[in-house]
Structure formats: C-alpha cells, structure tokens
Amino acid sequence: MHPETSITRKRIAFLASGRGSNFQAVIDAVAAGTIPATCTGLVTDNPRAYAIERAKSAGVPVTVVDYARFSSKAAYEEALLHAMRGCRADLFVLAGYMRILGPVIVHEFSGRMMNIHPALLPAFAGLHAQRQAVEYGVKVAGCTVHLVDEGLDTGPIVVQRCVPVLPDDDETTLADRILIEEHKALPLAVQLFCEERLDVDGRRVRVL
Ligand code: GRF
C-alpha cells in the first residue's frame, strides 16, 4: 500500500531501445518510494541497449525481442506483445522506444501506456524533435509525456515541461537541456498514474 492512500502498488514495465536514462529516472523514483509501484520488466528490441545494464543493476527482469531476428514487422510485434503480456503490467512506459507500435499492441494497452517525447507536442512529433525545434527557430522547447494512441506522438498529454532555446543552441545542447526535464516529467507522470490521479476525458487529462 502507498503510505498516504489506500491504493495498491501498481506493476509497471518498460519498453526501451537505447541508453535508458529515462528508464533509470523512473526506477530511481520507485526505489526512492516516490512512485508506489513494482518494476516488473524491461522489454527491448535492441540486444545492445544500455538500458539492459541498468535493468540488471536494479534487478528488473529483461526480455530481448531482437527486431533484427524477425522476417516481418508482424512477426516481431507478435513476439513483442507476448513479452509485454508476460510483464503483467498495469502500466507500460515507453522510455526511448524507437519504433512505432502497431494497432494491436496500442489497443491492448490503451489508457495504460505512456511515452516520453523530447518536444512540446503537438509541435515536432517524430524523429529528431530537438533538431526540428532548433531549425524552426522556436524560443521555447521541452518535453511531453502522453498516453499512446495509434497516431505518431498524438495521444492525450499528461505532463509537459519547458526549457528556453538559447541563441547558440544546436541539437545536442538543446537535447541535453530537455533531457534534464524529461527525467522529472516521466517519473511524475508515472507517479500520477500509479496514484490513480489521472482522469482522462477524450484528449484532456485532468490531474486529481
Ligand atoms: C529521449 O530523448 C526520449 O524523449 C526519446 O528518446 C530519448 C531516449 O533517451 N523518446 P534515454 O534512452 O531515455 O536516455
């Protein structure tokens, strides 16, 4: 039980493809007791993802579904769905998962899957969001945690945090500044979910 409420501990699992710093931020918040949850698994499409080392250090079970070993996206997604079901998670967190999920998985985890994106959506969806922001010349950038729907970075927004874009920024310096905020936004969004404080009404998410 969470110390301040009667809610039961949620089971959370992760999909990540790479470095895993956002994954780390969430498992640190769980370890600190800020998020009332148990981390039940990391699923990755990339056998070389550094997130795997982080999971091992934290005692989080890892399943690798190596994209390169499948002959079709459909076969890969079938194996991925099987691995995701095996985590028996209340919430799936996409923490730097670099592929677009197909409709079967999105539907199965509807309302209980979140993604972190390094832009203030709906601006700059898709790849290289920080580069898009620099090239567009915006003065404010940031990150968004949103529920996952079938579109590309289009689901209902849970948390956003912003940073200034400075005159000499390039993609890397801006990405570094945004990443600091990602590491606050994602644990907060997961915490709110686990505390049952998200009320989703169409596109609008009210924090209770
Ligand atoms: C982050 O910028 C995240 O917003 C994006 O991919 C990056 C993953 O970084 N989706 P990390 O693997 O969490 O360090």
Side-chain angles (χ1 to χ4, degrees):
M1 303 281 243
H2 194 234
E4 288 162 21
T5 70
S6 60
I7 61 166
T8 47
R9 269 180 106 68
K10 295 288 184 282
R11 296 170 59 89
I12 58 175
F14 302 83
L15 262 180
S17 300
R19 179 177 60 180
S21 69
N22 279 290
F23 167 54
Q24 186 74 55
V26 176
I27 55 180
D28 287 350
V30 170
T34 314
I35 298 176
T38 303
C39 300
T40 64
L42 167 73
V43 180
T44 181
D45 57 326
N46 174 11
R48 288 166 297 285
Y50 186 64
I52 295 171
E53 310 309 318
R54 298 181 189 271
K56 286 181 179 163
S57 300
V60 177
V62 177
T63 308
V64 178
V65 184
D66 184 353
Y67 185 84
R69 290 180 172 271
F70 292 86
S71 55
S72 69
K73 173 129 194 224
Y76 162 73
E77 288 234 329
E78 197 179 317
L80 186 67
L81 179 56
H82 182 75
M84 291 174 74
R85 282 180 178 152
C87 296
R88 295 194 299 115
D90 299 301
L91 174 69
F92 242 95
V93 181
L94 274 53
Y97 178 66
M98 301 309 284
R99 298 181 191 282
I100 297 169
L101 287 170
V104 173
I105 292 178
V106 169
H107 183 257
E108 174 147 341
F109 291 91
S110 177
R112 54 193 189 95
M113 186 154 62
M114 281 179 183
N115 180 48
I116 175 91
H117 181 73
L120 292 175
L121 293 169
F124 312 131
L127 289 175
H128 309 299
Q130 305 95 331
R131 187 191 306 168
Q132 293 184 58
V134 170
E135 288 177 352
Y136 199 91
V138 292
K139 304 297 187 197
V140 178
C143 61
T144 303
V145 183
H146 62 92
L147 296 170
V148 176
D149 66 9
E150 289 185 24
L152 177 60
D153 301 322
T154 53
I157 291 171
V158 180
V159 172
Q160 291 188 302
R161 293 183 65 95
C162 57
V163 300
V165 181
L166 302 180
D168 294 331
D169 268 338
D170 58 21
E171 180 180 1
T172 305
T173 57
L174 181 59
D176 289 347
R177 193 174 308 116
I178 293 171
L179 192 64
I180 292 168
E181 301 308 312
E182 293 185 45
H183 295 164
K184 298 171 188 164
L186 187 59
L188 174 60
V190 174
Q191 178 189 347
L192 293 171
F193 181 95
C194 292
E195 291 177 344
E196 299 179 1
R197 291 171 59 198
L198 298 179
D199 177 32
V200 183
D201 178 14
R203 281 215 53 83
R204 300 177 73 173
V205 180
R206 183 194 301 266
V207 176
L208 304 174

